[in-house]
Amino acid sequence: MKHTGLFRRSAPVAVETGRLADFAYLQPGAVYLDSACQSLRPQPVLDALTEYYTEYNACGGRVKYAWGTRVDREVQDARTAVLDLLGLSGRSHAVSFTLNTTFGLNLLLQQLPQGRFGRVVTSHIEHNSVFLPTMTAATRLGVPRLVLDRAPDGALVYQPAQLERAVVVVNVASNIDGRLLTNLTDLVRDTHARGGIVILDAAQAMAHERTLLAKTEADALCFSAHKMYGASLGVVVAAHDLLGSLELTFVGGGMVADVREDSFDLLTNDPGALLEPGLQAWGEIIALRRAIEWVGTVRPDGRPAAEHIQGLSQRLFEGLSDIPGLTLVNSEASPVISLYAPKQDSHRLAVFLSQSQIMVRSGYFCAHHYLKEQLGLPPLLRFSLGLHSTTADIDQAAQALARLMKGLS
């Protein structure tokens, strides 16, 4: 079979030096550096999807035949795997599956109870998935919206009084420069002490910074499986108390025990179902468990995954910092590094890099307010790493960009 794209299915023997065998389908020379958008999927995740669609492609939660009961077991195992990954208990928290992080955040924010909260709080460096729904949630609740700064280390800068009866919605890791919510524990404690709740955008944190979220006491967190080596899927992990307080307006089959002409009874034994109207992405949910298992055992170059990413991040940061004519947004190494060339158009640079099989993101990365309005920056280039990445990828990308900048000068 002739392959004309950048990806292919192949045996591990085709793997480049340093590349994990589970990414053997990646064509030699192809450098994918856009994992902050979506990570590449390792072979076990692809196999799990194929197995579901070819061996037991049934609905969950609705049938009694063998295929369906297997789906139910696999989905429950996926919920348990998510809770175990975060060190949380099913007695206090539930896992719901949805479209993506943005959808999950909206499901929570647009169904919060009226009259309980006094303000909505977020920060300037948020992705649009947080920044936009906090606007509409504040309008719906009839409360003011407060946008706060983040310190260089990522901590939310606040006064405790600003958290009074607040709905606090912030990211745990920035999709611009990777800075972390370093005062997460203090923020949750101070918010709860004043009758508020904390909802976390964990989309960027789940792949490489899960230790920050371990046993979190936040009321909910939302993330995307497709940013942590799973198939395209959104995940909401929420406290039972928060789920029970929602004023549900987005309802449907799969979340009710009984229906009458003018009323219905919600399921009482499955809090996670309150955010799951209709059929779910069964194959993608099942694949998420395989992704979690894979992340927990994989050792690139014989090293722990976190150590591998840390080493690549430093190499990438140093390599990009050495290129004349570039301005880095990052002040330190991170799995996500953004930059721009004041005299060049970032979209044009991305196209040129693509011609050398270097795939990087260009633009504002759904953070228009912070980058464009607050900082006044032009569109940026973003390099983001995954466990498929190698030192050869880093060097190839840095050398290609250096040649490009030299040729354009």
Side-chain angles (χ1 to χ4, degrees):
M1 180 182 294
K2 183 179 180 180
H3 298 275
T4 57
L6 296 174
F7 302 93
R8 68 182 180 189
R9 292 290 298 274
S10 61
V13 295
V15 180
E16 298 174 32
T17 302
R19 181 91 67 205
L20 285 168
D22 289 325
F23 297 104
Y25 57 80
L26 188 61
Q27 286 275 29
V31 178
Y32 180 77
L33 293 171
D34 196 19
S35 293
C37 182
Q38 62 174 354
S39 56
L40 298 185
R41 283 71 170 189
Q43 196 62 50
V45 170
L46 302 179
D47 292 342
L49 281 168
T50 300
E51 183 181 17
Y52 167 74
Y53 285 119
T54 59
E55 295 185 15
Y56 60 107
N57 185 181
C59 291
R62 290 159 174 79
V63 303
K64 302 302 180 186
Y65 52 83
W67 285 7
T69 56
R70 179 178 175 184
V71 170
D72 289 343
R73 291 195 304 271
E74 295 273 5
V75 170
Q76 184 54 50
D77 287 346
R79 296 189 202 276
T80 300
V82 171
L83 290 175
D84 289 347
L85 188 66
L86 293 166
L88 299 174
S89 169
R91 292 188 296 273
S92 58
H93 289 76
V95 176
S96 303
F97 298 110
T98 184
L99 186 62
N100 49 44
T101 299
T102 304
F103 205 88
L105 289 165
N106 274 277
L107 280 173
L108 294 172
L109 290 172
Q110 306 308 329
Q111 300 185 104
L112 290 173
Q114 300 275 357
R116 174 179 169 182
F117 301 105
R119 68 187 61 184
V120 174
V121 175
T122 190
S123 85
H124 287 291
I125 69 167
E126 301 303 326
H127 188 282
N128 286 339
S129 61
V130 169
F131 210 72
L132 300 181
T134 54
M135 294 182 193
T136 56
T139 299
R140 174 183 165 270
L141 295 171
V143 300
R145 175 173 170 268
L146 180 61
V147 184
L148 300 176
D149 290 327
R150 298 280 282 268
D153 69 350
L156 185 69
V157 180
Y158 65 89
Q159 297 297 322
Q162 295 173 315
L163 306 179
E164 191 71 30
R165 295 174 55 229
V167 179
V168 180
V169 193
V170 288
N171 69 59
V172 181
S174 167
N175 76 318
I176 300 167
D177 55 15
R179 76 179 87 171
L180 304 176
L181 184 62
T182 53
N183 61 342
L184 171 58
T185 300
D186 292 342
L187 175 63
V188 172
R189 182 197 64 222
D190 292 343
T191 303
H192 285 170
R194 288 158 181 81
I197 62 171
V198 176
I199 298 174
L200 301 174
D201 166 12
Q204 296 297 328
M206 286 298 289
H208 307 302
E209 304 293 346
R210 284 187 306 279
T211 54
L212 193 60
L213 292 164
K215 299 183 179 179
T216 179
E217 294 185 1
D219 300 271
L221 63 88
C222 302
F223 68 92
S224 296
H226 48 270
K227 296 182 190 295
M228 55 171 293
Y229 310 102
S232 185
L233 183 73
V235 186
V236 178
V237 182
H240 292 174
D241 289 345
L242 175 59
L243 292 171
S245 74
L246 299 179
E247 295 176 350
L248 296 173
T249 57
F250 196 51
V251 295
M255 56 189 294
V256 293
D258 199 7
V259 180
R260 296 165 294 279
E261 183 173 353
D262 296 310
S263 62
F264 57 86
D265 299 326
L266 293 168
L267 290 173
T268 58
N269 62 343
D270 185 5
L274 298 179
L275 299 181
E276 293 182 343
L279 288 179
Q280 301 302 302
W282 310 117
E284 287 77 358
I285 294 169
I286 293 164
L288 171 59
R289 181 172 70 85
R290 306 298 169 84
I292 291 172
E293 292 173 348
W294 180 84
V295 168
T297 58
V298 69
R299 293 179 64 85
D301 288 332
R303 298 184 297 171
E307 183 179 323
H308 175 72
I309 292 294
Q310 183 179 12
L312 291 181
S313 299
Q314 189 63 42
R315 190 182 189 97
L316 179 62
F317 182 74
E318 292 173 359
L320 296 175
S321 298
D322 288 340
I323 300 175
L326 297 180
T327 300
L328 269 64
V329 175
N330 293 59
S331 58
E332 59 184 16
S334 164
V336 180
I337 297 177
S338 297
L339 56 85
Y340 64 98
K343 296 182 180 180
Q344 303 295 336
D345 176 67
S346 290
H347 297 302
R348 184 171 178 237
L349 292 176
V351 171
F352 284 147
L353 288 172
S354 179
Q355 293 170 359
S356 297
Q357 296 195 86
I358 312 294
M359 292 167 275
V360 299
R361 177 82 176 270
S362 59
Y364 288 114
F365 326 132
C366 296
H368 298 74
H369 159 70
Y370 179 66
L371 294 174
K372 190 176 181 181
E373 183 180 29
Q374 276 236 304
L375 300 185
L377 294 178
L380 308 178
L381 281 179
R382 185 181 70 186
F383 297 71
S384 50
L385 301 169
L387 289 172
H388 69 282
S389 302
T390 67
T391 56
D393 291 341
I394 303 306
D395 296 343
Q396 184 178 337
Q399 290 164 11
L401 184 54
R403 289 194 302 269
L404 181 56
M405 291 300 297
K406 184 176 181 180
L408 294 172
S409 62

Short mmCIF file of all heavy atoms in Angstrom, two decimals, residues 18 20 207-211 229 294-313 335 386-389:
data_model
loop_
_atom_site.label_atom_id
_atom_site.label_comp_id
_atom_site.label_asym_id
_atom_site.label_seq_id
_atom_site.Cartn_x
_atom_site.Cartn_y
_atom_site.Cartn_z
N GLY A 18 14.73 6.31 19.46
CA GLY A 18 14.16 7.14 20.51
C GLY A 18 12.65 7.26 20.48
O GLY A 18 12.05 7.75 21.44
N LEU A 20 8.91 5.91 20.76
CA LEU A 20 8.18 4.79 21.33
C LEU A 20 7.54 3.95 20.24
O LEU A 20 6.98 4.48 19.27
CB LEU A 20 7.10 5.31 22.28
CG LEU A 20 7.57 5.84 23.64
CD1 LEU A 20 6.44 6.59 24.33
CD2 LEU A 20 8.05 4.69 24.52
N ALA A 207 -2.27 15.94 31.08
CA ALA A 207 -1.24 15.18 30.36
C ALA A 207 0.08 15.13 31.12
O ALA A 207 0.71 14.06 31.19
CB ALA A 207 -1.02 15.79 28.97
N HIS A 208 0.49 16.26 31.71
CA HIS A 208 1.85 16.32 32.28
C HIS A 208 1.92 16.84 33.71
O HIS A 208 2.99 16.78 34.32
CB HIS A 208 2.73 17.21 31.40
CG HIS A 208 2.74 16.83 29.95
ND1 HIS A 208 3.10 15.58 29.51
CD2 HIS A 208 2.40 17.55 28.85
CE1 HIS A 208 3.00 15.54 28.19
NE2 HIS A 208 2.58 16.70 27.77
N GLU A 209 0.83 17.35 34.26
CA GLU A 209 0.88 17.98 35.58
C GLU A 209 -0.19 17.43 36.52
O GLU A 209 -0.76 18.15 37.33
CB GLU A 209 0.73 19.51 35.45
CG GLU A 209 1.73 20.16 34.54
CD GLU A 209 3.16 20.10 35.06
OE1 GLU A 209 3.34 19.79 36.26
OE2 GLU A 209 4.09 20.40 34.28
N ARG A 210 -0.47 16.14 36.42
CA ARG A 210 -1.56 15.56 37.23
C ARG A 210 -1.26 15.60 38.71
O ARG A 210 -2.18 15.61 39.53
CB ARG A 210 -1.81 14.12 36.79
CG ARG A 210 -2.57 13.98 35.51
CD ARG A 210 -2.94 12.53 35.25
NE ARG A 210 -1.76 11.67 35.29
CZ ARG A 210 -0.90 11.52 34.28
NH1 ARG A 210 -1.08 12.20 33.16
NH2 ARG A 210 0.12 10.70 34.38
N THR A 211 0.01 15.62 39.09
CA THR A 211 0.33 15.62 40.52
C THR A 211 -0.26 16.84 41.22
O THR A 211 -0.57 16.79 42.40
CB THR A 211 1.85 15.58 40.74
OG1 THR A 211 2.46 16.66 40.01
CG2 THR A 211 2.43 14.27 40.25
N TYR A 229 -3.73 11.55 25.29
CA TYR A 229 -3.47 10.30 24.57
C TYR A 229 -4.69 9.43 24.35
O TYR A 229 -4.59 8.33 23.83
CB TYR A 229 -2.33 9.51 25.23
CG TYR A 229 -1.14 10.38 25.48
CD1 TYR A 229 -0.86 10.89 26.75
CD2 TYR A 229 -0.32 10.78 24.43
CE1 TYR A 229 0.21 11.75 26.97
CE2 TYR A 229 0.75 11.64 24.64
CZ TYR A 229 1.01 12.12 25.90
OH TYR A 229 2.06 12.99 26.10
N TRP A 294 -1.93 3.15 29.74
CA TRP A 294 -0.69 3.33 28.97
C TRP A 294 0.19 4.41 29.59
O TRP A 294 1.39 4.19 29.78
CB TRP A 294 -1.07 3.70 27.53
CG TRP A 294 0.11 3.92 26.63
CD1 TRP A 294 0.83 2.97 25.97
CD2 TRP A 294 0.72 5.18 26.31
NE1 TRP A 294 1.86 3.56 25.24
CE2 TRP A 294 1.79 4.91 25.44
CE3 TRP A 294 0.44 6.49 26.66
CZ2 TRP A 294 2.61 5.93 24.92
CZ3 TRP A 294 1.24 7.50 26.15
CH2 TRP A 294 2.31 7.22 25.29
N VAL A 295 -0.39 5.55 29.93
CA VAL A 295 0.38 6.64 30.52
C VAL A 295 1.02 6.19 31.84
O VAL A 295 2.13 6.62 32.18
CB VAL A 295 -0.52 7.88 30.75
CG1 VAL A 295 0.18 8.91 31.62
CG2 VAL A 295 -0.91 8.50 29.42
N GLY A 296 0.34 5.33 32.56
CA GLY A 296 0.85 4.88 33.85
C GLY A 296 2.01 3.92 33.76
O GLY A 296 2.70 3.69 34.76
N THR A 297 2.24 3.34 32.60
CA THR A 297 3.28 2.31 32.47
C THR A 297 4.39 2.66 31.48
O THR A 297 5.46 2.07 31.54
CB THR A 297 2.66 0.97 32.05
OG1 THR A 297 1.97 1.14 30.80
CG2 THR A 297 1.67 0.48 33.10
N VAL A 298 4.14 3.59 30.58
CA VAL A 298 5.11 3.87 29.52
C VAL A 298 6.36 4.54 30.09
O VAL A 298 6.29 5.36 31.02
CB VAL A 298 4.47 4.76 28.43
CG1 VAL A 298 4.19 6.17 28.94
CG2 VAL A 298 5.34 4.81 27.19
N ARG A 299 7.52 4.18 29.53
CA ARG A 299 8.80 4.75 29.98
C ARG A 299 9.64 5.06 28.75
O ARG A 299 10.46 4.23 28.31
CB ARG A 299 9.53 3.78 30.91
CG ARG A 299 8.82 3.56 32.24
CD ARG A 299 9.57 2.57 33.12
NE ARG A 299 10.89 3.07 33.52
CZ ARG A 299 11.09 3.86 34.56
NH1 ARG A 299 10.06 4.24 35.31
NH2 ARG A 299 12.31 4.26 34.88
N PRO A 300 9.50 6.24 28.18
CA PRO A 300 10.30 6.61 27.01
C PRO A 300 11.79 6.62 27.34
O PRO A 300 12.21 7.20 28.35
CB PRO A 300 9.81 8.03 26.69
CG PRO A 300 8.49 8.16 27.38
CD PRO A 300 8.58 7.31 28.60
N ASP A 301 12.56 5.97 26.51
CA ASP A 301 14.01 5.87 26.74
C ASP A 301 14.32 5.30 28.12
O ASP A 301 15.37 5.60 28.71
CB ASP A 301 14.69 7.24 26.59
CG ASP A 301 14.75 7.69 25.13
OD1 ASP A 301 14.78 6.82 24.26
OD2 ASP A 301 14.75 8.91 24.90
N GLY A 302 13.42 4.50 28.66
CA GLY A 302 13.63 3.88 29.96
C GLY A 302 13.43 4.81 31.14
O GLY A 302 13.73 4.45 32.28
N ARG A 303 12.90 6.02 30.89
CA ARG A 303 12.71 7.00 31.97
C ARG A 303 11.24 7.20 32.27
O ARG A 303 10.38 6.94 31.41
CB ARG A 303 13.33 8.35 31.56
CG ARG A 303 14.81 8.32 31.32
CD ARG A 303 15.33 9.73 31.03
NE ARG A 303 14.76 10.28 29.80
CZ ARG A 303 14.91 11.55 29.41
NH1 ARG A 303 15.61 12.38 30.16
NH2 ARG A 303 14.38 11.96 28.28
N PRO A 304 10.89 7.68 33.47
CA PRO A 304 9.49 8.04 33.74
C PRO A 304 9.02 9.08 32.74
O PRO A 304 9.79 9.93 32.27
CB PRO A 304 9.55 8.61 35.16
CG PRO A 304 10.77 8.02 35.77
CD PRO A 304 11.76 7.87 34.64
N ALA A 305 7.73 9.04 32.41
CA ALA A 305 7.18 9.94 31.41
C ALA A 305 7.42 11.41 31.75
O ALA A 305 7.79 12.21 30.89
CB ALA A 305 5.68 9.67 31.25
N ALA A 306 7.23 11.77 33.03
CA ALA A 306 7.41 13.17 33.43
C ALA A 306 8.85 13.63 33.23
O ALA A 306 9.10 14.76 32.80
CB ALA A 306 7.00 13.35 34.89
N GLU A 307 9.80 12.74 33.52
CA GLU A 307 11.22 13.09 33.35
C GLU A 307 11.55 13.26 31.88
O GLU A 307 12.33 14.15 31.49
CB GLU A 307 12.08 11.98 33.97
CG GLU A 307 13.57 12.25 33.94
CD GLU A 307 14.34 11.12 34.60
OE1 GLU A 307 13.86 10.57 35.60
OE2 GLU A 307 15.44 10.79 34.08
N HIS A 308 10.97 12.42 31.04
CA HIS A 308 11.17 12.51 29.60
C HIS A 308 10.67 13.86 29.07
O HIS A 308 11.40 14.56 28.33
CB HIS A 308 10.44 11.36 28.91
CG HIS A 308 10.47 11.41 27.42
ND1 HIS A 308 11.60 11.14 26.68
CD2 HIS A 308 9.50 11.71 26.51
CE1 HIS A 308 11.34 11.25 25.39
NE2 HIS A 308 10.07 11.60 25.26
N ILE A 309 9.47 14.24 29.44
CA ILE A 309 8.90 15.51 28.98
C ILE A 309 9.69 16.69 29.52
O ILE A 309 9.93 17.68 28.80
CB ILE A 309 7.42 15.61 29.40
CG1 ILE A 309 6.56 14.59 28.62
CG2 ILE A 309 6.88 17.02 29.18
CD1 ILE A 309 6.49 14.85 27.13
N GLN A 310 10.13 16.60 30.76
CA GLN A 310 10.92 17.69 31.34
C GLN A 310 12.22 17.91 30.57
O GLN A 310 12.61 19.04 30.28
CB GLN A 310 11.22 17.39 32.81
CG GLN A 310 11.97 18.49 33.53
CD GLN A 310 12.23 18.16 34.99
OE1 GLN A 310 12.05 17.02 35.43
NE2 GLN A 310 12.64 19.15 35.75
N GLY A 311 12.88 16.82 30.23
CA GLY A 311 14.13 16.92 29.48
C GLY A 311 13.91 17.51 28.09
O GLY A 311 14.69 18.36 27.63
N LEU A 312 12.86 17.07 27.41
CA LEU A 312 12.55 17.61 26.10
C LEU A 312 12.18 19.09 26.17
O LEU A 312 12.55 19.88 25.30
CB LEU A 312 11.41 16.82 25.46
CG LEU A 312 11.69 15.38 25.04
CD1 LEU A 312 10.44 14.77 24.41
CD2 LEU A 312 12.87 15.29 24.08
N SER A 313 11.43 19.46 27.21
CA SER A 313 11.02 20.85 27.37
C SER A 313 12.23 21.77 27.50
O SER A 313 12.29 22.85 26.89
CB SER A 313 10.12 21.00 28.61
OG SER A 313 8.95 20.22 28.49
N PRO A 335 6.30 22.18 28.64
CA PRO A 335 5.87 21.38 27.49
C PRO A 335 5.14 22.20 26.44
O PRO A 335 4.91 21.73 25.33
CB PRO A 335 4.92 20.34 28.13
CG PRO A 335 5.31 20.29 29.56
CD PRO A 335 5.74 21.68 29.90
N GLY A 386 4.63 15.98 23.37
CA GLY A 386 3.91 14.81 23.83
C GLY A 386 4.87 13.66 24.02
O GLY A 386 6.08 13.76 23.71
N LEU A 387 4.36 12.54 24.49
CA LEU A 387 5.22 11.39 24.74
C LEU A 387 5.71 10.71 23.47
O LEU A 387 6.57 9.83 23.52
CB LEU A 387 4.51 10.39 25.64
CG LEU A 387 4.35 10.85 27.09
CD1 LEU A 387 3.47 9.89 27.88
CD2 LEU A 387 5.71 11.00 27.77
N HIS A 388 5.19 11.12 22.34
CA HIS A 388 5.73 10.64 21.07
C HIS A 388 6.99 11.41 20.67
O HIS A 388 7.74 10.97 19.79
CB HIS A 388 4.69 10.81 19.96
CG HIS A 388 4.47 12.26 19.63
ND1 HIS A 388 3.69 13.09 20.41
CD2 HIS A 388 4.97 13.05 18.65
CE1 HIS A 388 3.71 14.31 19.91
NE2 HIS A 388 4.49 14.31 18.84
N SER A 389 7.21 12.57 21.29
CA SER A 389 8.30 13.46 20.91
C SER A 389 9.67 12.88 21.27
O SER A 389 9.80 12.15 22.26
CB SER A 389 8.13 14.83 21.58
OG SER A 389 6.90 15.43 21.24
#
